[in-house]
Amino acid sequence: MIRTTEMNKVTEFQQNGFITLENIYTKEEINQILALIESVESDKPTFRKSADVFAIRQFIKELPEIKDLIFNEKLKATIKEFGGNEYFVIKSIYFDKPETSNWFVSYHQDLTISVDKKQEIKNFTSWTTKHNQSAVQPPLDILQNIFTIRIHLDKTDENNGALKVIPASHRKGFYRPENINWDEENETVCNVEQGGVMLMKPLLLHSSSRTTNNKRRRVVHIEFSDIDLPENLNWAEKELVELG
């Protein structure tokens, strides 16, 4: 979908399920973030390293010093504008897709949340446990409440793994990739400059291609919500942010 002058940014985000914003971070801020990441030992269970990807799960928990760098005034204003004053972090991941990565991800929705423990709750399904971390698919209304901010530490385009999305697919509820009707749907590539961010809804169908231009794609992925989970179930990474 094309942005129109009549459609403000928040409305565009709600309708399309994604939006890109530039100049959230300066070059100096990006360099400070990268320097801190590169100073971390990578032998913890929450770290994943291979030829195709390096990832730090529970990123803010593992690197609490990063919080002040990530949540600058522009990002806090973005959270307030697109979410609200009550939104908090529920998941954070750092991804580094190396220059020669053959890692690709086919079209999917983000259907699971990270929680503190496994327990039987109505309409919470598909439980998994990896690296002592429980994940579950919650009811639709919880997923609809979440939004994600992807902070781009490198310029990203279709040649080094920029996300491809199907606009407005988040408004169709659970949408299986094999049911995509390409006669009706359109694909958009979300190019983002270094220091920019992409906001997206987890139910938005999205994918990522292999790297073909020998350039890295480093991204900080942070998910937000403003609701608590039922029956003493808790977000695994709940992190409050002082939005001012």
Side-chain angles (χ1 to χ4, degrees):
M1 293 187 180
I2 304 300
R3 186 187 305 185
T4 67
T5 55
E6 293 80 15
M7 187 186 299
N8 68 35
K9 292 185 292 184
V10 175
T11 301
E12 178 185 355
F13 176 57
Q14 295 296 334
Q15 290 193 6
N16 290 350
F18 73 99
I19 193 169
T20 59
L21 306 172
E22 305 300 341
N23 301 313
I24 302 298
Y25 297 90
T26 65
K27 180 69 173 178
E28 181 181 1
E29 288 173 323
I30 293 295
N31 287 339
Q32 290 175 330
I33 292 169
L34 289 173
L36 189 51
I37 292 170
E38 289 167 5
S39 72
V40 178
E41 296 293 332
S42 59
D43 58 353
K44 296 183 179 181
T46 51
F47 289 47
R48 172 189 171 194
K49 193 167 188 177
S50 70
D52 289 327
V53 66
F54 171 54
I56 305 174
R57 299 190 178 275
Q58 300 190 24
F59 177 58
I60 295 174
K61 275 190 173 183
E62 292 291 354
L63 196 57
E65 308 97 309
I66 205 78
K67 188 174 178 179
D68 288 340
L69 297 176
I70 292 292
F71 293 100
N72 67 7
E73 292 305 314
K74 286 187 176 180
L75 190 73
K76 289 193 287 187
T78 299
I79 297 167
K80 287 195 291 185
E81 180 179 7
F82 289 90
N85 290 323
E86 305 302 319
Y87 271 73
F88 48 82
V89 175
I90 58 169
K91 180 185 287 188
S92 60
I93 310 172
Y94 167 72
F95 290 110
D96 178 357
K97 195 171 187 178
E99 298 92 330
T100 58
S101 176
N102 285 318
W103 176 47
F104 75 97
V105 181
S106 58
Y107 268 107
H108 67 285
Q109 297 174 301
D110 293 337
L111 297 179
T112 62
I113 59 173
S114 297
V115 295
D116 63 336
K117 57 185 174 294
K118 180 178 180 180
Q119 64 182 61
E120 295 303 317
I121 302 177
K122 184 178 180 181
N123 297 324
F124 282 71
T125 63
S126 304
W127 286 90
T128 60
T129 302
K130 293 181 180 179
H131 306 298
N132 297 318
Q133 175 66 72
S134 295
V136 64
Q137 181 173 317
L140 183 64
D141 62 317
I142 291 177
L143 292 171
Q144 290 172 329
N145 173 263
I146 297 169
F147 74 93
T148 299
I149 297 181
R150 293 169 57 88
I151 300 164
H152 285 255
L153 306 177
D154 297 293
K155 179 179 179 179
T156 308
D157 59 27
E158 64 274 15
N159 299 309
N160 66 332
L163 288 192
K164 296 181 290 185
V165 304
I166 299 178
S169 53
H170 69 298
R171 294 195 283 164
K172 298 185 178 182
F174 297 121
Y175 192 174
R176 299 290 301 173
E178 60 267 26
N179 295 330
I180 297 172
N181 184 347
W182 290 109
D183 292 329
E184 297 179 355
E185 306 287 16
N186 296 304
E187 180 180 86
T188 296
V189 179
C190 300
N191 296 338
V192 185
E193 293 292 327
Q194 183 185 52
V197 302
M198 176 184 175
L199 279 71
M200 61 179 286
K201 295 284 191 175
L203 292 171
L204 183 77
L205 279 165
H206 57 285
S207 68
S208 175
S209 298
R210 293 180 173 88
T211 298
T212 60
N213 64 355
N214 293 317
K215 292 185 178 180
R216 295 173 80 172
R217 189 209 69 179
R218 290 168 289 186
V219 172
V220 178
H221 169 114
I222 307 178
E223 298 177 14
F224 298 85
S225 178
D226 67 347
I227 59 175
D228 290 321
L229 299 174
E231 298 187 31
N232 295 316
L233 188 67
N234 299 301
W235 301 104
E237 291 182 64
K238 183 173 181 179
E239 184 79 33
L240 301 179
V241 181
E242 181 56 59
L243 298 176

